Amino acid sequence: MSYAVICSSKTGNTKKLAQRAREVLGEENECSADNADLVLVGSWTDKGGMDPAIADALPQLAGKTVFLFGTCGFGGSQTYYDRVLDRFAAALPEGANVIGRFMCQGQMPPAVRERYVKMSSQDPARFEPMIENFDRALGHPDAADLDAFEVALRASL
């Protein structure tokens, strides 16, 4: 099966998932989205949705079979991941056939934690949970996340 990967990865987290997809599907089977049987669309989460930088690549997915994936700094809730993935799906053109999707937590840059720490002095009730979430996100996606992604991808094929 031929496939293409359209991916935006700001910090490298989503890129790790894309690389696992290439290992699973075989790098020799990767081609352009125009010729692919399957298009994997991955993005880091930007304000609860897909990175706007890949918007120009999406119109060509009308009529294509698509697998959505991504990472987000906030995690721990499948309900939250599902809402984000619903926004990703809403960005696709009419006629794109989503056969599977996967989202996991990704670690954030240290500057984010520094910002949370500064803001926590003014509003600890709001920012201390954000600091705890930042700390939980360290190292993600980890091996278990990558394995879960592979399971989800294989199940959709």
Coordinates of all heavy atoms in Angstrom, one line a residue, residues 54-120:
I54 N -0.3 23.7 7.8 CA -0.6 22.6 6.9 C -1.9 22.8 6.2 O -2.3 21.9 5.4 CB -0.4 21.2 7.5 CG1 -1.5 21.0 8.6 CG2 1.0 21.0 8.1 CD1 -1.4 19.6 9.2
A55 N -2.6 23.9 6.4 CA -3.9 24.1 5.8 C -3.8 24.0 4.2 O -4.8 23.5 3.6 CB -4.5 25.4 6.2
D56 N -2.8 24.5 3.7 CA -2.7 24.5 2.2 C -2.6 23.1 1.6 O -2.9 22.9 0.4 CB -1.5 25.3 1.7 CG -1.6 26.8 2.0 OD1 -2.8 27.3 2.2 OD2 -0.6 27.5 1.9
A57 N -2.1 22.2 2.4 CA -2.0 20.8 1.9 C -3.3 20.0 2.0 O -3.4 18.9 1.4 CB -0.9 20.1 2.7
L58 N -4.3 20.5 2.7 CA -5.5 19.7 3.0 C -6.5 19.6 1.9 O -7.1 18.6 1.7 CB -6.2 20.3 4.3 CG -5.3 20.2 5.5 CD1 -6.1 20.8 6.7 CD2 -4.8 18.8 5.8
P59 N -6.7 20.6 1.0 CA -7.7 20.5 0.0 C -7.5 19.3 -1.0 O -8.4 18.7 -1.5 CB -7.6 21.8 -0.8 CG -7.1 22.8 0.2 CD -6.1 22.0 1.1
Q60 N -6.2 18.9 -1.2 CA -6.0 17.8 -2.0 C -6.4 16.4 -1.4 O -6.3 15.4 -2.1 CB -4.5 17.7 -2.3 CG -3.6 17.4 -1.1 CD -2.1 17.3 -1.5 OE1 -1.7 16.8 -2.5 NE2 -1.3 18.0 -0.6
L61 N -6.9 16.5 -0.2 CA -7.3 15.2 0.4 C -8.8 14.8 0.2 O -9.2 13.8 0.7 CB -7.1 15.3 1.9 CG -5.6 15.6 2.3 CD1 -5.4 15.6 3.8 CD2 -4.7 14.5 1.7
A62 N -9.5 15.6 -0.6 CA -10.9 15.3 -0.9 C -10.9 13.9 -1.6 O -10.1 13.7 -2.6 CB -11.5 16.4 -1.8
G63 N -11.7 13.0 -1.2 CA -11.7 11.7 -1.8 C -10.6 10.7 -1.4 O -10.6 9.6 -1.8
K64 N -9.7 11.2 -0.5 CA -8.6 10.4 -0.1 C -8.9 9.6 1.3 O -9.7 10.1 2.0 CB -7.3 11.2 0.2 CG -6.7 11.8 -1.1 CD -6.0 10.7 -1.8 CE -5.2 11.2 -3.0 NZ -4.5 10.1 -3.7
T65 N -8.2 8.5 1.5 CA -8.3 7.8 2.7 C -7.3 8.4 3.7 O -6.1 8.5 3.3 CB -8.1 6.3 2.5 OG1 -9.0 5.8 1.6 CG2 -8.1 5.5 3.8
V66 N -7.7 8.8 4.9 CA -6.9 9.6 5.8 C -6.8 8.9 7.2 O -7.8 8.5 7.7 CB -7.4 11.0 5.9 CG1 -6.6 11.8 6.9 CG2 -7.4 11.7 4.5
F67 N -5.6 9.0 7.7 CA -5.4 8.6 9.1 C -4.9 9.9 9.8 O -3.9 10.5 9.4 CB -4.4 7.5 9.3 CG -4.2 7.1 10.7 CD1 -4.9 6.0 11.2 CD2 -3.3 7.7 11.5 CE1 -4.8 5.6 12.5 CE2 -3.1 7.3 12.9 CZ -3.9 6.2 13.3
L68 N -5.6 10.4 10.9 CA -5.2 11.6 11.6 C -4.4 11.2 12.8 O -4.7 10.2 13.5 CB -6.4 12.3 12.0 CG -7.3 12.9 11.0 CD1 -8.6 13.5 11.6 CD2 -6.6 14.0 10.2
F69 N -3.4 12.0 13.1 CA -2.6 11.8 14.4 C -2.0 13.1 14.8 O -1.9 14.0 14.1 CB -1.5 10.7 14.1 CG -0.4 11.1 13.2 CD1 0.8 11.6 13.8 CD2 -0.5 11.0 11.9 CE1 1.8 12.0 12.9 CE2 0.5 11.3 11.0 CZ 1.7 11.8 11.5
G70 N -1.6 13.1 16.1 CA -1.0 14.3 16.6 C -0.6 14.1 18.1 O -0.8 13.1 18.7
T71 N 0.0 15.2 18.6 CA 0.4 15.3 19.9 C -0.1 16.7 20.5 O -0.3 17.6 19.8 CB 1.9 15.3 20.1 OG1 2.5 16.3 19.3 CG2 2.5 13.9 19.6
C72 N -0.3 16.7 21.8 CA -0.7 17.9 22.5 C 0.0 18.0 23.9 O 0.2 17.0 24.5 CB -2.2 18.1 22.5 SG -3.0 16.8 23.4
G73 N 0.3 19.2 24.3 CA 0.9 19.3 25.6 C 0.0 18.9 26.7 O 0.5 18.4 27.7
F74 N -1.2 19.2 26.6 CA -2.2 18.8 27.7 C -2.6 17.4 27.4 O -2.9 17.0 26.2 CB -3.4 19.8 27.8 CG -2.9 21.1 28.4 CD1 -2.5 22.1 27.6 CD2 -2.9 21.2 29.7 CE1 -2.1 23.3 28.1 CE2 -2.5 22.4 30.3 CZ -2.1 23.5 29.5
G75 N -2.7 16.6 28.4 CA -3.0 15.2 28.2 C -3.7 14.6 29.3 O -4.2 15.2 30.2
G76 N -3.8 13.2 29.2 CA -4.4 12.5 30.3 C -5.9 12.2 30.2 O -6.5 11.5 31.0
S77 N -6.5 12.7 29.1 CA -7.9 12.6 29.0 C -8.2 12.2 27.5 O -8.0 13.0 26.6 CB -8.7 13.8 29.3 OG -10.0 13.8 28.9
Q78 N -8.8 11.0 27.3 CA -9.1 10.6 25.9 C -10.2 11.5 25.4 O -10.3 11.8 24.2 CB -9.6 9.2 25.9 CG -9.8 8.6 24.5 CD -8.6 8.7 23.6 OE1 -7.5 8.3 24.0 NE2 -8.7 9.2 22.4
T79 N -11.1 12.0 26.3 CA -12.2 13.0 25.9 C -11.6 14.2 25.3 O -12.0 14.7 24.3 CB -13.0 13.3 27.1 OG1 -13.6 12.1 27.7 CG2 -14.2 14.3 26.7
Y80 N -10.5 14.7 25.9 CA -9.8 15.9 25.4 C -9.2 15.6 24.0 O -9.3 16.3 23.1 CB -8.8 16.5 26.3 CG -8.0 17.6 25.8 CD1 -8.6 18.9 25.6 CD2 -6.7 17.5 25.4 CE1 -7.9 19.9 25.0 CE2 -6.0 18.5 24.9 CZ -6.6 19.8 24.7 OH -5.9 20.8 24.1
Y81 N -8.5 14.5 23.9 CA -7.9 14.1 22.7 C -8.9 13.9 21.6 O -8.7 14.4 20.4 CB -7.2 12.7 22.8 CG -5.9 12.7 23.7 CD1 -5.5 11.6 24.4 CD2 -5.2 13.9 24.0 CE1 -4.4 11.5 25.2 CE2 -4.1 13.9 24.8 CZ -3.7 12.7 25.4 OH -2.6 12.7 26.2
D82 N -10.1 13.4 21.9 CA -11.1 13.2 20.9 C -11.6 14.5 20.4 O -11.9 14.7 19.2 CB -12.3 12.4 21.5 CG -11.9 10.9 21.6 OD1 -11.0 10.4 21.0 OD2 -12.6 10.2 22.4
R83 N -11.8 15.5 21.3 CA -12.2 16.9 20.9 C -11.2 17.5 19.9 O -11.6 18.1 18.9 CB -12.4 17.8 22.1 CG -13.8 17.5 22.8 CD -14.1 18.7 23.7 NE -13.1 19.2 24.6 CZ -12.8 18.9 25.8 NH1 -13.6 17.9 26.4 NH2 -11.8 19.4 26.5
V84 N -9.9 17.3 20.3 CA -8.9 17.9 19.4 C -8.9 17.2 18.0 O -8.9 17.8 17.0 CB -7.5 17.8 20.0 CG1 -6.4 18.2 19.1 CG2 -7.4 18.6 21.3
L85 N -9.0 15.9 18.0 CA -9.1 15.1 16.8 C -10.3 15.4 16.0 O -10.3 15.4 14.7 CB -9.0 13.6 17.0 CG -7.6 13.1 17.4 CD1 -7.6 11.8 18.1 CD2 -6.6 13.2 16.2
D86 N -11.4 15.7 16.6 CA -12.6 16.2 15.9 C -12.4 17.5 15.2 O -12.8 17.7 14.1 CB -13.8 16.4 16.9 CG -14.4 15.1 17.4 OD1 -14.1 14.0 16.8 OD2 -15.1 15.1 18.4
R87 N -11.6 18.4 15.8 CA -11.2 19.7 15.2 C -10.3 19.4 14.0 O -10.4 20.0 13.0 CB -10.6 20.6 16.2 CG -11.6 21.2 17.2 CD -10.9 22.2 18.1 NE -11.7 22.4 19.3 CZ -11.3 22.0 20.5 NH1 -10.1 21.5 20.7 NH2 -12.1 22.2 21.5
F88 N -9.4 18.5 14.2 CA -8.5 18.1 13.0 C -9.4 17.6 11.9 O -9.2 18.0 10.7 CB -7.5 17.0 13.4 CG -6.3 17.4 14.2 CD1 -6.3 18.5 15.0 CD2 -5.2 16.5 14.3 CE1 -5.1 18.9 15.7 CE2 -4.1 16.9 15.0 CZ -4.0 18.0 15.7
A89 N -10.3 16.7 12.2 CA -11.2 16.1 11.1 C -12.0 17.2 10.4 O -12.2 17.2 9.2 CB -12.1 15.1 11.7
A90 N -12.4 18.2 11.2 CA -13.3 19.3 10.7 C -12.5 20.2 9.7 O -13.0 20.8 8.8 CB -13.8 20.2 11.8
A91 N -11.1 20.1 9.8 CA -10.3 20.9 8.9 C -10.1 20.2 7.5 O -9.6 20.9 6.6 CB -8.9 21.2 9.5
L92 N -10.5 19.0 7.4 CA -10.3 18.2 6.2 C -11.4 18.6 5.2 O -12.5 19.0 5.6 CB -10.4 16.7 6.4 CG -9.3 16.2 7.3 CD1 -9.5 14.7 7.6 CD2 -7.9 16.4 6.7
P93 N -11.2 18.5 3.9 CA -12.2 18.8 2.9 C -13.3 17.7 2.9 O -13.1 16.6 3.3 CB -11.4 18.8 1.6 CG -10.3 17.8 1.8 CD -9.9 18.0 3.3
E94 N -14.4 18.1 2.4 CA -15.5 17.2 2.3 C -15.1 16.1 1.4 O -14.4 16.3 0.4 CB -16.7 17.9 1.7 CG -18.0 17.0 1.6 CD -19.2 17.8 1.2 OE1 -19.3 19.0 1.5 OE2 -20.1 17.2 0.6
G95 N -15.4 14.8 1.7 CA -15.0 13.7 0.9 C -13.8 13.0 1.4 O -13.5 11.9 0.9
A96 N -13.1 13.6 2.3 CA -11.9 12.8 2.9 C -12.5 11.8 3.9 O -13.4 12.0 4.6 CB -11.0 13.8 3.7
N97 N -12.0 10.6 3.7 CA -12.5 9.4 4.5 C -11.5 9.1 5.6 O -10.4 8.5 5.4 CB -12.7 8.2 3.6 CG -13.1 7.0 4.3 OD1 -13.8 7.1 5.3 ND2 -12.7 5.8 3.8
V98 N -11.8 9.5 6.8 CA -10.9 9.2 8.0 C -11.2 7.8 8.5 O -12.3 7.5 8.9 CB -11.2 10.2 9.1 CG1 -10.3 9.9 10.3 CG2 -11.0 11.7 8.6
I99 N -10.1 7.0 8.4 CA -10.3 5.6 8.8 C -9.7 5.3 10.2 O -9.9 4.2 10.7 CB -9.6 4.6 7.7 CG1 -8.1 5.0 7.6 CG2 -10.3 4.7 6.4 CD1 -7.3 3.9 7.0
G100 N -9.0 6.3 10.7 CA -8.4 6.1 12.0 C -7.8 7.4 12.5 O -7.6 8.3 11.8
R101 N -7.5 7.4 13.8 CA -7.0 8.6 14.4 C -6.3 8.2 15.8 O -6.6 7.3 16.4 CB -8.0 9.7 14.6 CG -9.4 9.2 14.9 CD -10.4 10.3 14.8 NE -10.9 10.6 16.2 CZ -11.8 11.6 16.4 NH1 -12.2 12.4 15.5 NH2 -12.2 11.8 17.6
F102 N -5.3 9.1 16.1 CA -4.5 8.8 17.3 C -4.0 10.2 17.8 O -3.5 11.0 17.1 CB -3.4 7.9 17.1 CG -2.6 7.6 18.3 CD1 -2.9 6.7 19.2 CD2 -1.4 8.3 18.5 CE1 -2.2 6.4 20.4 CE2 -0.6 8.1 19.7 CZ -1.0 7.2 20.6
M103 N -4.1 10.3 19.1 CA -3.5 11.5 19.8 C -2.9 11.1 21.1 O -3.4 10.2 21.8 CB -4.6 12.5 20.0 CG -4.2 13.8 20.8 SD -3.3 15.0 19.8 CE -4.4 15.4 18.5
C104 N -1.7 11.7 21.4 CA -1.1 11.5 22.7 C -0.4 12.7 23.2 O -0.3 13.7 22.5 CB -0.1 10.3 22.6 SG 1.4 10.7 21.7
Q105 N 0.0 12.7 24.4 CA 0.6 13.9 25.0 C 2.0 14.0 24.5 O 2.7 13.0 24.1 CB 0.7 13.7 26.5 CG 1.1 15.0 27.3 CD 0.7 14.9 28.7 OE1 0.7 13.9 29.3 NE2 0.5 16.1 29.3
G106 N 2.5 15.2 24.3 CA 3.9 15.5 23.9 C 4.5 16.5 24.9 O 3.8 17.4 25.4
Q107 N 5.8 16.4 25.1 CA 6.4 17.3 26.0 C 6.5 18.7 25.4 O 6.5 18.8 24.2 CB 7.8 16.8 26.4 CG 8.8 16.8 25.4 CD 10.1 16.2 25.9 OE1 10.2 15.5 26.9 NE2 11.2 16.5 25.2
M108 N 6.5 19.7 26.3 CA 6.6 21.1 25.9 C 7.9 21.7 26.1 O 8.7 21.1 27.0 CB 5.5 21.8 26.7 CG 4.1 21.4 26.4 SD 2.9 22.1 27.5 CE 2.9 20.8 28.9
P109 N 8.3 22.8 25.5 CA 9.6 23.4 25.7 C 9.7 23.9 27.1 O 8.7 24.3 27.8 CB 9.6 24.6 24.7 CG 8.5 24.3 23.7 CD 7.5 23.4 24.4
P110 N 10.9 24.0 27.7 CA 11.1 24.4 29.1 C 10.6 25.9 29.3 O 10.1 26.2 30.4 CB 12.6 24.4 29.3 CG 13.1 23.4 28.3 CD 12.1 23.5 27.1
A111 N 10.6 26.7 28.3 CA 10.1 28.1 28.5 C 8.6 28.1 28.9 O 8.2 29.0 29.6 CB 10.3 28.9 27.2
V112 N 7.8 27.1 28.5 CA 6.4 27.0 28.9 C 6.3 26.8 30.4 O 5.5 27.5 31.1 CB 5.7 25.9 28.2 CG1 4.3 25.7 28.7 CG2 5.7 26.1 26.7
R113 N 7.1 25.9 31.0 CA 7.1 25.7 32.4 C 7.5 27.0 33.1 O 6.9 27.4 34.2 CB 8.0 24.6 32.8 CG 7.8 24.2 34.3 CD 8.7 23.0 34.7 NE 8.3 22.3 35.9 CZ 8.4 22.8 37.1 NH1 9.1 24.0 37.3 NH2 8.0 22.1 38.1
E114 N 8.6 27.6 32.6 CA 9.0 28.9 33.3 C 7.9 29.9 33.3 O 7.7 30.6 34.3 CB 10.2 29.4 32.5 CG 11.5 28.5 32.7 CD 12.6 28.9 31.7 OE1 12.5 30.0 31.0 OE2 13.5 28.1 31.5
R115 N 7.2 30.0 32.2 CA 6.0 31.0 32.2 C 5.0 30.6 33.2 O 4.4 31.4 33.9 CB 5.5 31.0 30.7 CG 4.4 32.1 30.5 CD 4.0 32.3 29.1 NE 3.3 31.1 28.6 CZ 3.7 30.3 27.6 NH1 4.8 30.6 27.0 NH2 3.0 29.3 27.2
Y116 N 4.7 29.3 33.3 CA 3.7 28.8 34.3 C 4.1 29.2 35.7 O 3.3 29.6 36.5 CB 3.4 27.3 34.1 CG 2.7 26.9 32.9 CD1 2.7 25.5 32.5 CD2 2.0 27.8 32.0 CE1 2.1 25.1 31.4 CE2 1.4 27.3 30.9 CZ 1.4 26.0 30.6 OH 0.8 25.5 29.4
V117 N 5.4 28.9 36.0 CA 5.9 29.2 37.3 C 5.7 30.7 37.7 O 5.3 31.0 38.8 CB 7.4 28.7 37.5 CG1 8.0 29.2 38.7 CG2 7.4 27.2 37.4
K118 N 6.1 31.5 36.7 CA 5.9 33.0 37.0 C 4.5 33.4 37.2 O 4.2 34.1 38.1 CB 6.5 33.8 35.8 CG 8.0 33.9 35.7 CD 8.4 34.7 34.5 CE 9.9 34.7 34.3 NZ 10.3 35.4 33.1
M119 N 3.6 32.8 36.4 CA 2.2 33.1 36.6 C 1.5 32.5 37.8 O 0.6 33.0 38.3 CB 1.4 32.7 35.3 CG 1.8 33.6 34.1 SD 0.7 33.3 32.7 CE 1.7 32.2 31.7
S120 N 2.1 31.4 38.3 CA 1.5 30.7 39.5 C 1.6 31.6 40.7 O 0.8 31.4 41.6 CB 2.2 29.4 39.7 OG 3.5 29.5 40.2

